[in-house]
């Protein structure tokens, strides 16, 4: 009888072990599938002023690590904690940053293992003087790390995505979007996104009003690019940081496109005084293409 009982126990334990293995296997498969399928762009918090898609974080990490002027240019707009996460986790598949008046949100394709790595490798060191606080809302656990200046760095991991922000409101809005699984991005942004090169290390989408692009014609007419989104691919070429962008070609404004390009260079240098931008333009197939590069960048 004892032999039978022992065999029954062995069978039960074996069955439990098998079920556990299957559970974890399919659980990992499900999370990996969500990690691959999730489009970070669809999670963007409402009313962004700009969106920076980092398609190749490893390339971006090498750029900001090797070139001090470039690092300082990005650091002037992006909190250092975000740059540190990118630097110390170059194996991240892809990530986005959205810029809002209330703050910046970081979206990372990250399974639970990667999320733990970010916590252990970056956050515990950055916020070691403060005890984190946790709050569960709508099935999602938010962690808030007190920071200097009465600020809280918040983050959560859900369905293969790790999201962080210093703005609690923005963080909870992204979580709500993720729970609803509904893309609320305007059609204009969706169309512009399709024109960008997903193989470029970085894609930038920005509201034109932030760049204040305008020129005056000889007859004192004011030409302004406003109330629309502009896009550009950012990449490295011969040690310099470059951008590639385009605008629809309009023949009446033919003589103004060069001036717009020069104005764009000036505006970029105003936003990023660490960089000196040169710009070239050409027209093809009903579009005017702009290519600009920072000059004098050294390793």
């Amino acid at each position: 009888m004892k032999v039978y009982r022992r065999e029954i126990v062995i069978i039960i334990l074996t069955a439990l072990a098998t079920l556990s293995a299957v559970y974890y296997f399919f659980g990992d498969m499900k999370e990996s599938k969500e990690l691959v399928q999730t489009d970070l762009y669809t999670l963007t918090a409402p009313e962004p002023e700009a969106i920076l898609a980092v398609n190749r974080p490893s390339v971006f990490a090498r750029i900001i690590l090797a070139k001090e002027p470039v690092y300082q240019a990005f650091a002037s707009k992006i909190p250092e904690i975000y740059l540190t996460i990118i630097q110390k986790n170059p194996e991240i598949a892809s990530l986005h940053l959205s810029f809002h008046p209330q703050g910046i949100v970081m979206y990372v394709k990250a399974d639970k293992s990667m999320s733990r790595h970010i916590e252990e490798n970056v956050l515990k060191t950055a916020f070691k003087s403060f005890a984190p606080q946790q709050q569960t809302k709508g099935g999602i656990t938010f962690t808030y790390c007190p920071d200097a200046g009465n600020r809280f760095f918040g983050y959560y991991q859900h369905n293969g995505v790790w999201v962080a922000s210093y703005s609690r409101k923005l963080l909870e809005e992204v979580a709500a979007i993720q729970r609803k699984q509904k893309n609320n991005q305007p059609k204009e942004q969706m169309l512009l996104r399709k024109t960008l090169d997903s193989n470029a290390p970085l894609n930038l989408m920005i509201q034109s009003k932030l760049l204040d692009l305008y020129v005056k014609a000889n007859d004192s007419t004011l030409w302004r690019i406003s109330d629309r989104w502009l896009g550009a691919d950012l990449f490295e070429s011969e040690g310099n940081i470059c951008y590639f962008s385009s605008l629809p070609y309009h023949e009446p404004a033919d003589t103004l496109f060069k001036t717009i390009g020069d104005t764009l260079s000036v505006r970029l240098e105003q936003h990023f005084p660490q960089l000196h931008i040169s710009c070239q333009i050409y027209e093809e197939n009903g579009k005017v293409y702009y290519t600009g590069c920072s000059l004098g960048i050294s390793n």
Side-chain angles (χ1 to χ4, degrees):
M1 186 69 178
K2 291 182 178 180
V3 173
Y4 289 131
R5 286 181 179 176
R6 187 176 65 181
E7 290 179 350
I8 292 172
V9 170
I10 292 174
I11 291 172
I12 292 174
L13 290 176
T14 303
L16 288 174
T18 303
L19 289 173
S20 297
V22 171
Y23 172 80
Y24 282 111
F25 175 73
F26 282 104
D28 288 343
M29 282 186 60
K30 179 182 179 182
E31 185 167 20
S32 298
K33 184 178 180 181
E34 289 168 341
L35 186 64
V36 172
Q37 291 184 347
T38 301
D39 184 352
L40 296 179
Y41 183 78
T42 63
L43 303 180
T44 304
E47 301 180 357
E49 294 181 327
I51 301 171
L52 181 66
V54 184
N55 303 315
R56 296 162 64 188
S58 60
V59 174
F60 186 48
R62 289 200 302 271
I63 291 173
I64 62 179
L65 278 172
K67 306 177 188 304
E68 183 64 21
V70 178
Y71 179 90
Q72 292 301 329
F74 281 104
S76 67
K77 302 297 179 184
I78 301 173
E80 185 176 358
I81 186 68
Y82 294 146
L83 298 180
T84 303
I85 289 171
I86 298 170
Q87 289 174 322
K88 292 190 175 183
N89 299 277
E91 65 275 19
I92 289 173
S94 65
L95 63 95
H96 281 198
L97 294 162
S98 63
F99 301 77
H100 309 258
Q102 310 97 308
I104 300 173
V105 184
M106 185 180 202
Y107 317 76
V108 180
K109 282 193 175 182
D111 57 17
K112 292 179 180 178
S113 176
M114 173 59 69
S115 300
R116 285 193 296 269
H117 193 267
I118 293 174
E119 291 180 0
E120 296 291 333
N121 203 27
V122 180
L123 302 185
K124 283 191 175 180
T125 301
F127 303 107
K128 60 183 177 182
S129 301
F130 305 102
Q133 304 171 12
Q134 289 191 328
Q135 178 185 17
T136 300
K137 186 176 181 179
I140 295 178
T141 299
F142 300 85
T143 301
Y144 296 98
C145 301
D147 199 2
N150 294 322
R151 298 194 305 167
F152 285 82
F153 180 81
Y155 64 92
Y156 73 85
Q157 195 276 348
H158 183 66
N159 283 350
V161 180
W162 187 85
V163 186
S165 180
Y166 275 101
S167 169
R168 181 170 181 169
K169 180 176 184 293
L170 290 173
L171 196 65
E172 291 185 353
E173 285 180 336
V174 175
I177 292 172
Q178 196 172 6
R179 281 192 293 263
K180 294 176 183 177
Q181 298 183 346
K182 184 178 181 181
N183 179 15
N184 295 316
Q185 296 308 305
K187 183 178 180 180
E188 179 191 4
Q189 293 180 33
M190 298 296 291
L191 293 175
L192 176 60
R193 180 193 177 204
K194 292 180 179 179
T195 67
L196 301 176
D197 183 2
S198 60
N199 292 316
L202 304 169
N203 300 138
L204 174 65
M205 295 174 58
I206 186 170
Q207 288 189 21
S208 57
K209 66 180 182 181
L210 297 182
L211 297 176
D212 193 22
L213 294 177
Y214 66 89
V215 292
K216 289 184 178 180
N218 293 331
D219 60 358
S220 298
T221 301
L222 185 67
W223 293 77
R224 183 184 298 273
I225 300 175
S226 59
D227 299 327
R228 60 170 294 170
W229 281 78
L230 301 175
D233 300 319
L234 306 181
F235 57 95
E236 184 181 20
S237 177
E238 298 181 351
N240 295 313
I241 305 303
C242 303
Y243 66 85
F244 179 79
S245 185
S246 65
L247 288 171
Y249 176 74
H250 296 291
E251 187 174 354
D254 182 82
T255 59
L256 300 178
F257 284 112
K258 177 64 170 66
T259 306
I260 291 175
D262 294 337
T263 303
L264 178 59
S265 295
V266 171
R267 293 292 182 269
L268 289 174
E269 289 190 16
Q270 288 175 344
H271 281 277
F272 304 102
Q274 303 85 355
L275 307 178
H276 300 289
I277 310 294
S278 68
C279 182
Q280 296 180 340
I281 70 169
Y282 66 93
E283 184 268 328
E284 183 179 309
N285 297 327
K287 284 191 174 183
V288 176
Y289 295 93
Y290 293 83
T291 302
C293 286
S294 60
L295 301 178
I297 298 280
S298 60
N299 291 338

